[in-house]
Amino acid sequence: MNKIAFFTLPIIGSFVYLFLNIFSRFYAVFKRMENINFYEYIQYSCIDFICYFFRYYFIDTFWFFGILSLILHYRNIHFVNKGNIILLIIIVTIFSIIVAFIPENPALFLDDLLPITRIVINILWIIFYLSIHAFLVYYLIQLSEKYFIKTQQPFMLTDKNSSNIHFILFSTFISFILLKGYGVILITFNLMDIRISSELLNCVYIAVVFLAICLSKASFKIYYDKIQIDELIKSLFVSSIIIFIGIVIDFYFMFTRPYNPFFKETQFVNLGRNLLFFISIALIICFVMKKTTKRYFQKKM
């Protein structure tokens, strides 16, 4: 194995990162099972466990993959060989051990604070937590840079790989932002005693996000000779802000309906309202993502 590739090393590193996170969680669970009744753990369904790991581990892997891809690219580390893979695995292992000691969400344990205060602390801590991840990966790669085997020339973007690389980077970061942000929105409404989370809603939202990403693929047609970081940031920022505003407004009017004693909700009416809600969410996400990617990735150089 001796080739040059843009995403091969980041994919390997991300799988190692995901595996170590899942392994550490299972290890912690089995250690607790020594003192707690085993039946307390098997009462949850397989879907519950899948949703748990998807929410707390798989989503964060998107962020790790995107950051690792950009750092390795700008450090000109694209050579896929045994030495680079082993060194990357060591770096990811060190990274996983360090971040395991950083609490992801301390605001959830501050029950004595006002809901708005907990929401602000939660958002600020997530930003800090992700920044720590990015800087830690950056400095670990920088400290180990001299041990990597590099190519003699920078990785060349061509008319064949340029659009795919930009699309994958955009898809990675927008998936992370929309899925992570969705969890923050649910926590925010729950802290205000508005219960909106459901398995159906979660599945529909995830499906719509990936559908919108697939529809935006057609926007990545222009050839660039270098990674367009500015366009990536602008498109991610604009699309995510507009989508989140639309979702919050939709959630608010959908789940804070005043009680009307003269209007009895039937199962058919409730089904129709939910269907309208899902359609509106899908239209918001698909339309905004399509327009923003067209705006920023079909501009002539």
Side-chain angles (χ1 to χ4, degrees):
M1 180 169 54
N2 198 13
K3 64 177 183 178
I4 297 175
F6 192 95
F7 289 114
T8 301
L9 288 177
I11 289 174
I12 294 173
S14 299
F15 271 111
V16 173
Y17 170 71
L18 180 62
F19 171 78
L20 291 174
N21 276 337
I22 294 176
F23 175 79
S24 64
R25 175 54 58 180
F26 271 116
Y27 177 77
V29 168
F30 283 121
K31 289 294 290 184
R32 289 187 60 194
M33 283 171 55
E34 296 177 358
N35 303 317
I36 301 178
N37 192 339
F38 173 75
Y39 292 99
E40 293 183 13
Y41 288 96
I42 64 174
Q43 63 180 327
Y44 301 103
S45 66
C46 181
I47 296 178
D48 292 330
F49 277 108
I50 292 175
C51 292
Y52 175 82
F53 285 113
F54 181 83
R55 179 177 178 183
Y56 289 100
Y57 296 105
F58 190 74
I59 294 178
D60 286 348
T61 306
F62 284 117
W63 175 257
F64 182 80
F65 172 76
I67 292 297
L68 186 61
S69 299
L70 292 177
I71 293 174
L72 291 178
H73 172 67
Y74 284 110
R75 291 295 176 182
N76 199 27
I77 303 173
H78 299 288
F79 220 10
V80 183
N81 56 22
K82 184 178 180 180
N84 283 355
I85 292 175
I86 293 175
L87 182 56
L88 181 62
I89 292 175
I90 294 174
I91 291 173
V92 174
T93 303
I94 296 173
F95 170 83
S96 300
I97 294 173
I98 295 175
V99 298
F101 294 96
I102 305 175
E104 183 178 358
N105 199 350
L108 293 179
F109 304 101
L110 305 177
D111 295 331
D112 55 334
L113 297 180
L114 294 174
I116 186 63
T117 305
R118 294 175 63 191
I119 292 169
V120 173
I121 293 176
N122 183 41
I123 294 174
L124 293 177
W125 183 261
I126 289 176
I127 296 174
F128 172 76
Y129 183 80
L130 297 176
S131 300
I132 289 294
H133 275 218
F135 282 114
L136 186 56
V137 174
Y138 173 80
Y139 284 113
L140 286 174
I141 296 293
Q142 185 183 45
L143 291 173
S144 309
E145 186 177 2
K146 63 181 179 180
Y147 301 107
F148 280 101
I149 300 176
K150 299 184 179 182
T151 54
Q152 296 297 323
Q153 296 179 347
F155 185 88
M156 298 297 296
L157 295 184
T158 66
D159 55 350
K160 293 182 179 180
N161 64 21
S162 175
S163 60
N164 289 332
I165 289 174
H166 281 92
F167 171 69
I168 292 174
L169 288 174
F170 173 82
S171 302
T172 299
F173 285 114
I174 198 66
S175 297
F176 170 78
I177 292 172
L178 293 184
L179 295 177
K180 195 77 170 182
Y182 174 73
V184 175
I185 291 175
L186 295 185
I187 291 174
T188 300
F189 275 85
N190 289 338
L191 289 175
M192 296 187 296
D193 293 327
I194 304 174
R195 304 294 175 180
I196 62 176
S197 181
S198 69
E199 294 301 329
L200 177 60
L201 176 59
N202 297 341
C203 292
V204 169
Y205 181 84
I206 293 172
V208 170
V209 168
F210 290 121
L211 173 63
I213 291 173
C214 293
L215 293 177
S216 66
K217 177 68 170 65
S219 301
F220 295 83
K221 295 180 179 180
I222 305 301
Y223 160 69
Y224 297 101
D225 58 357
K226 62 180 181 179
I227 301 297
Q228 303 296 302
I229 295 296
D230 292 342
E231 304 304 323
L232 278 172
I233 294 176
K234 290 176 184 177
S235 61
L236 292 170
F237 179 79
V238 173
S239 58
S240 58
I241 291 296
I242 297 175
I243 288 172
F244 286 146
I245 291 175
I247 291 176
V248 169
I249 293 174
D250 214 350
F251 277 6
Y252 180 80
F253 285 104
M254 192 67 182
F255 295 100
T256 59
R257 302 185 303 273
Y259 174 71
N260 188 348
F262 302 101
F263 182 75
K264 184 178 180 179
E265 292 188 1
T266 63
Q267 186 176 2
F268 177 78
V269 172
N270 190 45
L271 178 63
R273 181 184 286 111
N274 290 336
L275 182 61
L276 180 62
F277 171 72
F278 292 145
I279 292 175
S280 62
I281 290 293
L283 290 177
I284 290 171
I285 297 177
C286 293
F287 177 79
V288 171
M289 199 177 299
K290 182 73 173 179
K291 290 297 183 181
T292 52
T293 51
K294 267 189 177 182
R295 176 182 176 184
Y296 291 105
F297 291 102
Q298 287 193 354
K299 290 166 36 176
K300 298 293 183 181
M301 295 185 62

